[in-house]
Amino acid sequence: MKRSIVALAALATLSAAAASTAAYAAKDSLLGAAPERGTGLPSGQCLRSRDIRAHTIADSNTLLIRGGDKQTYRVTMAGGCLAGATQSDPIITRNPPGADRICKPIDLDIGIARDGFETRCIVESIVRLSPEQVAMVPKKLRP
């Protein structure tokens, strides 16, 4: 009897933790709901990695970058990869060998350098923001 009460309590705790994690992951960014996983840029809007000029961290899953074209891009990460990162933490970008254009999430390999260690992130989507969306971003978070 005691064993089943302990098992039920453990199951309830795990269920509550899973629900809380799912709710946190589903939380919308200040820009609204994240784009669908796998969303990339149309071929005419692709970004070159060497043209990334600035970045800001909007929330634990959202990186905003400014390209050399002065456009702002929203890069959505999986799993709260940016949690605990600060605006001054360097981002590390890598492209597959021979590739410089970023069009799809798979084209962008991002890491965040913190305290001498790198945390690698899984990019889920990348979109170019409209001027209206950029206007919604608080000035201190604009790249």
Side-chain angles (χ1 to χ4, degrees):
M1 180 72 157
K2 239 182 189 181
R3 200 182 275 176
S4 45
I5 291 173
V6 170
L8 282 174
L11 183 59
T13 302
L14 287 173
S15 296
S20 144
T21 301
Y24 178 75
K27 182 181 173 216
D28 290 344
S29 163
L30 62 100
L31 296 167
E36 185 176 323
R37 187 179 203 174
T39 301
L41 300 167
S43 62
Q45 292 182 8
C46 295
L47 174 68
R48 294 198 180 280
S49 59
R50 67 176 179 246
D51 291 335
I52 296 174
R53 298 291 182 246
H55 75 280
T56 57
I57 298 168
D59 60 43
S60 64
N61 293 314
T62 309
L63 182 70
L64 300 176
I65 56 177
R66 187 179 73 235
D69 57 1
K70 298 193 178 171
Q71 296 294 320
T72 301
Y73 298 84
R74 176 185 184 174
V75 181
T76 307
M77 316 290 181
C81 179
L82 303 171
T86 65
Q87 301 300 350
S88 61
D89 289 336
I91 61 168
I92 301 164
T93 59
R94 294 181 189 84
N95 296 84
D100 182 39
R101 292 170 37 102
I102 300 166
C103 299
K104 301 175 284 193
I106 193 92
D107 297 335
L108 187 56
D109 184 358
I110 289 186
I112 303 293
R114 286 179 256 181
D115 301 323
F117 296 97
E118 180 185 355
T119 301
R120 304 285 294 274
C121 300
I122 297 171
V123 177
E124 290 191 333
S125 64
I126 180 169
V127 296
R128 188 167 79 178
L129 298 181
S130 69
E132 295 79 23
Q133 289 172 312
V134 173
M136 291 172 37
V137 177
K139 288 188 182 200
K140 67 179 182 177
L141 290 180
R142 292 182 192 167

